[in-house]
Amino acid sequence: MTKAEIVNEISNKTGFDKNAVQTVVEAFMTTVKNSLSKNENVYLRSFGSFIVKERAEKTARNISKKTTIVIPAHKIPAFKPCKSFVNQVKKIK
């Protein structure tokens, strides 16, 4: 599902103008990105959490050049769904 499809779906369900919904969806995404860039997690009860994960330093190999490189420790954004969300997806056949 694309952002445009999400905006259409919300607009159809709520009756709000698509432009207003588009603004809200983009503001939500910007708020989440800004919070994560400040190393602040975002918790949405009964949905899930947008969190910042830390990856440890590791050594990788470039097989074609037969060399090794060190990938430094870094942080990445991640999403962790709540249990009810996971269980709902598990029921899909």
Side-chain angles (χ1 to χ4, degrees):
M1 182 174 248
T2 65
K3 182 168 56 169
E5 291 171 335
I6 291 171
V7 169
N8 285 334
E9 187 78 19
I10 293 171
S11 178
N12 291 338
K13 286 185 177 183
T14 62
F16 292 123
D17 180 49
K18 287 183 183 180
N19 290 332
V21 174
Q22 174 93 17
T23 303
V24 171
V25 169
E26 288 180 4
F28 171 76
M29 292 187 307
T30 301
T31 303
V32 170
K33 286 191 278 188
N34 290 341
S35 294
L36 293 177
S37 68
K38 295 176 192 171
N39 204 29
E40 298 173 354
N41 295 335
V42 177
Y43 302 101
L44 302 173
R45 302 287 179 230
S46 73
F47 184 71
S49 303
F50 294 93
I51 59 175
V52 178
K53 283 188 173 183
E54 294 190 30
R55 298 283 186 204
E57 181 179 281
K58 65 180 177 180
T59 304
R61 294 187 310 151
N62 183 339
I63 297 171
S64 63
K65 293 183 181 179
K66 297 182 182 179
T67 60
T68 60
I69 59 171
V70 175
I71 300 173
H74 59 282
K75 296 179 180 183
I76 61 166
F79 177 74
K80 183 178 179 185
C82 71
K83 285 185 180 182
S84 61
F85 187 175
V86 171
N87 290 336
Q88 185 177 356
V89 172
K90 282 183 180 179
K91 293 178 183 178
I92 297 173
K93 292 186 181 188

